[in-house]
Amino acid sequence: MAARRIAYALALCCAITGAAWGQDRPLSAIDWLRDEVATDPLPPLDEPATSVGAGSETIEVKPLDAPSKDAVGLLPPSRTGLPPALWGGSDPAELVRLLAAAQGGTVPAMRDLLMVLLLAEARPPEGTGAGAGTGVDTGQTLFLARIDTLIEMGALDRAQALLDRAGADTAETFARWLDVSLLTGDEAGACQALVRAPDLAPSLASRIFCLAREGDWEAAALTLDTARALQALSGVEDAILERYLFPEMFEEAPPLTPPSVPSPLLFRLFEVAAEPIPTTLLPLAYAPSDLRPAAGWKAQIEAAERLARAGVIEANRLMGLYTARQPAASGGVWDRVAAVQALDAALSQGTTGDIDAAMAPAWEVLAQASLEPVFAALFATRLSAVQQDLSPQAAELAFEAGLLSADYQTLAAAYTTSEARARFLKGVASGDLTGLVPPDAVAAAVADGFAAIGPPPRLAPILAQGNLGEAILHAVVAGHQGGRGDLEKLAEAIAFLRAVGLDQAARRLALDVMVLGVTP
């Protein structure tokens, strides 16, 4: 047994100090998820040259006909309406920059368009991959950025689906697969793969966790000892891994102080050590963990609200939580639960007066939480059926809610009005502003976008180069800027989207900004 332990430790040390652990590579999905192990490079050899004037070339190795991960998607061109050559000859680094700029906006139409780009199946940018002459395989640069963006948006299910389709067979893709698995609490598959291929482990801490997770406690303990000897763990990693491996030693110990923003591994380790870290103040990627049945009802609702606000879960899933039981108290989330239940009951079995009375409170409390699109998805179609019987104020509210729904064209066409703003909104929904006068500055910017001929000058050269996807990302960024009050960018985004045939996205952008208002 002693010989076995010594042999294992020696083998582990050799593996750690070899080239695989000395590479400078990303170890987890995004910057705030990284927990890199720093290693010092070997000093250069001070040897005389063996020849004069000899040179060497970088040798690139790539399996024949290996597909680029950048091409992997979940939505084929037949569903997105986008061409297979979506990315043209765009520089992957510029696409990565634009993806970072495009996320985090508040305009639902632009979030939805970004999601289509993230999931689109398309040829990789021309000139990328191991044959690009750089010596570095960039055939997954865009793919990794798409995965990172999905994780930051909290769309872990879609990130997982993309990774499943592409295969997590490189250090970079495996690190993201492990992160997603840890955040969802479903790390069995990733840990089994890591134990089979330890060279893919993004850190010693993850290797220790997975060894123990798969039942090899002796190897996990040996690896922990070795990691300590190499000073390869942070203080909190060391402490929580020790509690994970030897829980009986810490039964009376006080809880550890968690990091303000833990890595996915630390987040999961604190959870399995019965010291879970609340997700409410953590990045959105951590919210899906509270959708599991083990979380309390309030935590599930709050997590679903965050994810619905970001547009990454269906409104019906949140509705199922809202109506699961009676609110336990008042204020905050409980006011939203009560208001949604009241409007749902009024529409199901109440009178027109009951619906009138329940509408405004439900809209108000959901609007306070920036959940107006959820209200629209849940109630717009049902309200349209009784719209003619509602009070004028309630009918107008139902009309504007309908403009935020997927059926905005049909619901807008059914609404009769002589009021100038409502008539302009109906025109936007139909795509025809002929004869309509913009009622305010935002509407004037929308009208300018509709009146434009061809793509905006700033984006026309990008289109001329065949880089449609890059130009759309610029438009998504501009659309979000329009939602923050930059009306020139709002007009530009609308004009561009209409020029490239994305008229529905242009109309939805205009309606979102007009109905929801600008958010400085």
Side-chain angles (χ1 to χ4, degrees):
M1 179 64 71
R4 179 186 172 194
R5 294 168 69 94
I6 293 170
Y8 184 89
L10 287 173
L12 183 61
C13 286
C14 292
I16 293 167
T17 55
W21 288 97
Q23 294 170 354
D24 181 14
R25 56 180 172 83
L27 295 182
S28 52
I30 36 187
D31 288 342
W32 44 262
L33 293 180
R34 286 185 181 159
D35 188 17
E36 300 192 46
V37 178
T39 57
D40 295 326
L42 293 174
L45 294 175
D46 186 14
E47 295 182 354
T50 58
S51 65
V52 178
S56 63
E57 295 182 0
T58 300
I59 299 175
E60 298 169 357
V61 178
K62 185 177 183 181
L64 293 176
D65 301 323
S68 167
K69 285 181 167 55
D70 282 351
V72 174
L74 302 179
L75 302 177
S78 60
R79 289 195 53 190
T80 65
L82 299 171
L86 173 65
W87 303 114
S90 294
D91 178 5
E94 175 64 7
L95 296 176
V96 171
R97 185 192 69 79
L98 287 170
L99 283 175
Q103 59 183 292
T106 59
V107 181
M110 296 297 93
R111 287 200 308 259
D112 292 348
L113 183 55
L114 175 61
M115 184 64 72
V116 171
L117 290 176
L118 293 172
L119 302 181
E121 183 182 281
R123 291 199 291 268
E126 296 173 10
T128 63
T134 63
V136 177
D137 185 0
T138 58
Q140 61 178 3
T141 299
L142 178 58
F143 176 77
L144 296 177
R146 289 159 58 203
I147 294 294
D148 291 348
T149 304
L150 288 168
I151 293 174
E152 290 192 40
M153 293 172 66
L156 301 185
D157 54 344
R158 274 148 278 194
Q160 182 68 66
L162 275 178
L163 288 165
D164 288 344
R165 179 161 292 189
D169 53 358
T170 68
E172 294 82 4
T173 54
F174 183 84
R176 287 156 173 81
W177 180 32
L178 181 60
D179 280 343
V180 171
S181 301
L182 291 165
L183 289 169
T184 58
D186 185 23
E187 67 278 350
C191 276
Q192 290 164 8
L194 186 152
V195 171
R196 290 194 301 268
D199 57 309
L200 290 177
S203 67
L204 275 176
S206 62
R207 177 154 170 72
I208 294 165
F209 171 77
C210 283
L211 283 169
R213 170 73 172 70
E214 293 306 300
D216 196 345
W217 294 90
E218 181 183 356
L222 281 169
T223 309
L224 177 60
D225 289 340
T226 304
R228 285 169 170 167
L230 294 172
Q231 297 182 337
L233 300 175
S234 67
V236 68
E237 283 178 331
D238 191 339
I240 195 64
L241 282 168
E242 188 174 35
R243 291 186 180 215
Y244 177 54
L245 294 179
F246 310 107
E248 67 282 353
M249 295 172 55
F250 299 93
E251 292 179 353
E252 304 299 326
L256 291 172
T257 301
S260 56
V261 182
S263 68
L265 177 60
L266 284 175
F267 178 78
R268 183 70 173 127
L269 279 167
F270 270 82
E271 182 180 43
V272 297
E275 299 179 23
I277 303 173
T279 67
T280 50
L281 299 179
L282 295 180
L284 194 57
Y286 294 87
S289 68
D290 278 342
L291 295 179
R292 291 173 291 170
W297 184 37
K298 182 172 183 288
Q300 291 181 55
I301 294 174
E302 290 174 336
E305 286 183 336
R306 292 183 68 190
L307 295 166
R309 192 178 299 121
V312 296
I313 66 168
E314 296 293 330
N316 280 335
R317 185 165 186 185
L318 179 54
M319 184 66 170
L321 291 169
Y322 276 151
T323 56
R325 63 192 79 161
Q326 293 301 308
S330 60
V333 66
W334 304 123
D335 286 349
R336 294 190 286 277
V337 170
V340 167
Q341 290 186 4
L343 180 54
D344 181 52
L347 284 165
S348 297
Q349 43 191 297
T351 65
T352 303
D354 294 332
I355 298 170
D356 259 18
M359 274 186 64
W363 174 267
E364 181 179 351
V365 294
L366 290 178
Q368 289 172 355
S370 300
L371 291 169
E372 298 98 322
V374 170
F375 180 101
L378 295 177
F379 298 118
T381 301
R382 297 171 70 186
L383 287 169
S384 70
V386 295
Q387 195 167 3
Q388 68 275 12
D389 299 323
L390 298 175
S391 67
Q393 296 82 4
E396 182 180 1
L397 176 56
F399 163 66
E400 296 212 359
L403 296 176
L404 300 177
S405 74
D407 296 326
Y408 69 91
Q409 290 174 274
T410 302
L411 300 184
Y415 183 61
T416 303
T417 181
S418 59
E419 196 270 326
R421 181 174 183 276
R423 290 180 64 237
F424 189 88
L425 287 167
K426 281 171 61 72
V428 173
S430 69
D432 184 5
L433 298 182
T434 304
L436 297 174
V437 178
D440 53 39
V442 174
V446 170
D448 288 344
F450 270 70
I453 304 298
R458 184 173 72 92
L459 301 181
I462 302 174
L463 273 182
Q465 295 168 1
N467 300 338
L468 175 61
E470 179 181 342
I472 294 175
L473 284 174
H474 276 286
V476 169
V477 174
H480 282 312
Q481 290 171 331
R484 293 192 290 268
D486 189 332
L487 300 186
E488 183 177 343
K489 289 294 176 61
L490 174 62
E492 177 187 275
I494 292 171
F496 170 81
L497 293 171
R498 286 170 59 84
V500 298
L502 296 175
D503 186 58
Q504 295 290 337
R507 294 190 215 178
R508 288 194 55 222
L509 167 59
L511 293 171
D512 285 348
V513 176
M514 288 193 67
V515 173
L516 298 176
V518 297
T519 305

